[in-house]
Amino acid sequence: MEEKLRQLQVEANGAIEAAQDVAGLEEVRVRYLGRKGEIADIMGKMKDLSNEERPLVGKFANQLKNEISAKLEQRRRTLGTGAAETEKVDVTLPGMQRRLGHKHPITQTMERINEIFLNIGFRILEGPEIETEFNNFTALNIPQDHPSRDAFDTFYLEDEFLLRSHTSTVQIRLMQKERPPLQAIMPGRVYRPDATDASHSFMFHQVEGLMVDERVTFADLKGALDIFAKQMFGTQTRVRFRPHFFPFTEPSAEVDVSCIICKGKGCRVCGQKGWLEILGAGSVDPAVFKAVGYDPRQYTGFAFGMGVERIAMLIYGVDDIRLFFENDLRFLRQF
Ligand code: PHE
């Protein structure tokens, strides 16, 4: 009988360890400690034992009962904390869907602009946001008394450094470093201390373009921008050049595209004009070539600069530039 108890001891310990939940433990308890369980069964047969054997076996049986009770309790506590219970994997449940992030609408727009120019032979270059007065103004033929040099129009840092007010600075860096032929677009952030409102931000993005070689003409500029407009806004898009002035291009133009909303008929977005202004452009001014050490009799070129936010607002129908920079996910998730 003692032999039988030892066997029960081993079995019960194994069953307690194997139980995976509280219900399983309860089954083990009933099987060994229950009124009709294994130990009760042995107790019931004790009357057949000799007087010497009976107390020994009785003592062992009681010890075993206590031992099993204690182990059940211990195991119940481990399972009861929920650890094993909640860690069980239900492989039939659908997987967890994680929301993938995506690029900011301004980044998407800038990358689309870059891609179009890449496809027609331009390479992409970047320059620093902290610049010299020389690269931002002097080399670009912007005279000392030009209003854009004013402290109200430019963020000045110490010495002759400033936050660039346009990406035309990268034209200068490129021309100082390399000789023509050059064909590059230069995307990046620019800064102007403008009061913020629905259409102004102290920081925004531009994409600059530059092509320099022997015999580059204004017609090349028109061709490149026409391809850009049709790929960016649709094949029906028309382009219009209006005479304008920039110190670093001559002649200069402001470039409009036919309104992408009303296709030129006149609507609220284009202010009934049928045209939307998207960029400034022109032939590189000989004074700029002189500033970078090129011979203006040998080389000609064109340059343009466009505002990325303005284009993104037109494409996506966004009417307030501030929405792009507030990091409100309810807005950004729409793109
Ligand atoms: N730099 C001009 C601006 O910021 C845009 C421009 C670039 C115009 C190149 C002509 C040529 O307004």
Side-chain angles (χ1 to χ4, degrees):
M1 221 171 254
E2 218 179 306
E3 187 58 17
K4 172 81 175 150
L5 282 171
R6 277 189 215 293
Q7 205 184 314
L8 281 181
Q9 183 178 34
V10 175
E11 270 180 36
N13 283 342
I16 291 168
E17 280 311 308
Q20 284 307 314
D21 49 30
V22 178
L25 267 189
E26 179 59 12
E27 272 172 40
V28 177
R29 190 192 66 77
V30 171
R31 174 142 46 96
Y32 293 97
L33 305 181
R35 253 188 322 119
K36 289 179 190 156
E38 302 275 6
I39 296 192
D41 186 48
I42 290 185
M43 300 280 227
K45 286 175 184 150
M46 283 212 319
K47 59 182 184 310
D48 304 332
L49 293 173
S50 65
N51 286 343
E52 295 86 62
E53 261 188 318
R54 201 178 297 123
L56 290 175
V57 173
K59 193 173 167 213
F60 188 25
N62 274 321
Q63 270 173 7
L64 186 55
K65 258 169 108 169
N66 292 338
E67 183 187 320
I68 294 176
S69 285
K71 290 216 161 118
L72 279 171
E73 185 49 38
Q74 204 181 353
R75 180 87 180 128
R76 194 191 317 276
R77 249 183 254 132
T78 335
L79 294 176
T81 56
E85 198 77 336
T86 51
E87 272 169 25
K88 257 202 295 181
V89 177
D90 181 350
V91 294
T92 66
L93 281 174
M96 243 197 267
Q97 293 268 350
R98 293 197 189 278
R99 187 191 280 275
L100 274 184
H102 64 74
K103 287 177 181 164
H104 191 281
I106 294 302
T107 307
Q108 291 184 40
T109 307
M110 199 148 61
E111 288 185 351
R112 178 74 190 119
I113 297 168
N114 292 347
E115 190 185 313
I116 294 171
F117 285 105
L118 266 179
N119 286 339
I120 54 172
F122 288 74
R123 65 185 153 131
I124 302 176
L125 289 178
E126 287 181 313
E129 291 166 29
I130 294 176
E131 265 293 3
T132 59
E133 257 193 275
F134 180 80
N135 287 346
N136 199 78
F137 295 125
T138 313
L140 288 160
N141 196 33
I142 298 175
Q144 204 73 53
D145 60 356
H146 193 280
S148 68
R149 287 200 181 220
D150 202 282
F152 295 108
D153 287 303
T154 298
F155 278 117
Y156 286 93
L157 308 171
E158 274 164 34
D159 302 324
E160 19 78 271
F161 293 108
L162 45 79
L163 294 181
R164 68 179 178 191
S165 60
H166 53 183
T167 44
S168 302
T169 53
V170 195
Q171 289 186 37
I172 302 301
R173 286 178 173 268
L174 171 59
M175 288 191 280
Q176 280 178 330
K177 218 167 90 196
E178 297 182 24
R179 307 288 303 174
L182 300 174
Q183 210 183 342
I185 50 161
M186 299 150 272
R189 288 195 186 98
V190 301
Y191 301 84
R192 296 180 195 177
D194 286 335
T196 301
D197 63 25
S199 54
H200 292 87
S201 169
F202 56 85
M203 183 284 296
F204 58 97
H205 298 73
Q206 287 187 329
V207 174
E208 189 86 7
L210 177 70
M211 179 168 181
V212 181
D213 200 354
E214 294 179 2
R215 289 186 293 280
V216 172
T217 69
F218 203 92
D220 296 317
L221 169 65
K222 287 183 119 176
L225 292 182
D226 193 58
I227 288 171
F228 166 71
K230 287 186 163 57
Q231 295 202 12
M232 192 77 199
F233 303 110
T235 49
Q236 305 301 310
T237 311
R238 284 161 296 136
V239 178
R240 169 173 94 165
F241 288 68
R242 277 181 292 105
H244 195 72
F245 175 79
F246 295 106
F248 35 93
T249 47
E250 179 61 30
S252 304
E254 275 188 335
V255 179
D256 300 341
V257 291
S258 50
C259 179
I260 60 175
I261 309 295
C262 65
K263 313 282 176 224
K265 286 199 255 330
C267 68
R268 208 171 51 89
V269 172
C270 59
Q272 307 307 325
K273 291 196 286 278
W275 296 94
L276 300 164
E277 188 211 317
I278 57 158
L279 57 87
S283 295
V284 180
D285 195 293
V288 175
F289 285 148
K290 281 197 200 125
V292 297
Y294 287 3
D295 180 353
R297 285 166 306 180
Q298 186 184 1
Y299 295 118
T300 54
F302 67 74
F304 59 84
M306 64 183 93
V308 179
E309 280 75 6
R310 166 128 177 97
I311 291 176
M313 287 168 82
L314 290 171
I315 289 176
Y316 295 124
V318 173
D319 60 8
D320 193 324
I321 194 173
R322 291 169 290 198
L323 289 165
F324 288 126
F325 307 122
E326 283 169 350
N327 268 344
D328 186 336
L329 289 179
R330 292 168 302 177
F331 172 75
L332 293 174
R333 276 183 182 139
Q334 299 175 77
F335 301 97

